[in-house]
Amino acid sequence: MTPAHIAPVLLLVASNVFMTFAWYGHLKFPDRALWIVVLASWTIALVEYCFAVPANRIGHRVYSAAELKTMQEVITLVVFAAFSVMYLKEPMTLNHAVGFGFIALGAFFVFRGPF
């Protein structure tokens, strides 16, 4: 694997960590005014874009757009699952695991499927 294959994955992981906090981090602060959490989320999302845009620019040299999007979705689910359990203290249920598994199966077809 070349750096062009690995860099997009690492950048997408960083991107998704920031975006998960931007979208869901405020749920631990329900007493904060909505305008404050929106402003904070936008600020975090700006940082996220600083990782996502280079990830896609670099990644498109070696991956198709469909592969990059699939990679991003799988990374999003993994990051979100960890965030949900560790930060929000919500349980990961069997239904969640099965649903995520079906999404991973879809990713298999994008990258290595028989068709």
Side-chain angles (χ1 to χ4, degrees):
M1 288 213 135
T2 68
H5 285 89
I6 297 167
V9 175
L10 297 176
L11 289 165
L12 286 172
V13 168
S15 164
N16 276 280
V17 168
F18 279 97
M19 202 58 182
T20 300
F21 273 97
W23 284 357
Y24 302 102
H26 63 87
L27 296 177
K28 287 192 84 165
F29 306 99
D31 57 323
R32 299 299 197 291
L34 185 58
W35 73 269
I36 292 172
V37 298
V38 168
L39 186 61
S41 292
W42 282 354
T43 303
I44 296 168
L46 176 62
V47 176
E48 182 269 341
Y49 271 76
C50 291
F51 289 106
V53 172
N56 289 307
R57 176 70 62 99
I58 294 166
H60 199 248
R61 293 184 212 153
V62 292
Y63 298 110
S64 71
E67 289 172 332
L68 285 166
K69 182 59 179 171
T70 302
M71 190 182 313
Q72 186 268 330
E73 293 298 336
V74 171
I75 291 168
T76 295
L77 284 175
V78 171
V79 168
F80 178 78
F83 175 88
S84 180
V85 170
M86 295 186 320
Y87 184 77
L88 295 177
K89 307 294 186 209
E90 295 184 357
M92 179 60 59
T93 68
L94 181 58
N95 284 347
H96 297 140
V98 170
F100 292 170
F102 279 118
I103 293 169
L105 181 62
F108 165 79
F109 281 100
V110 170
F111 282 95
R112 303 272 186 232
F115 308 109

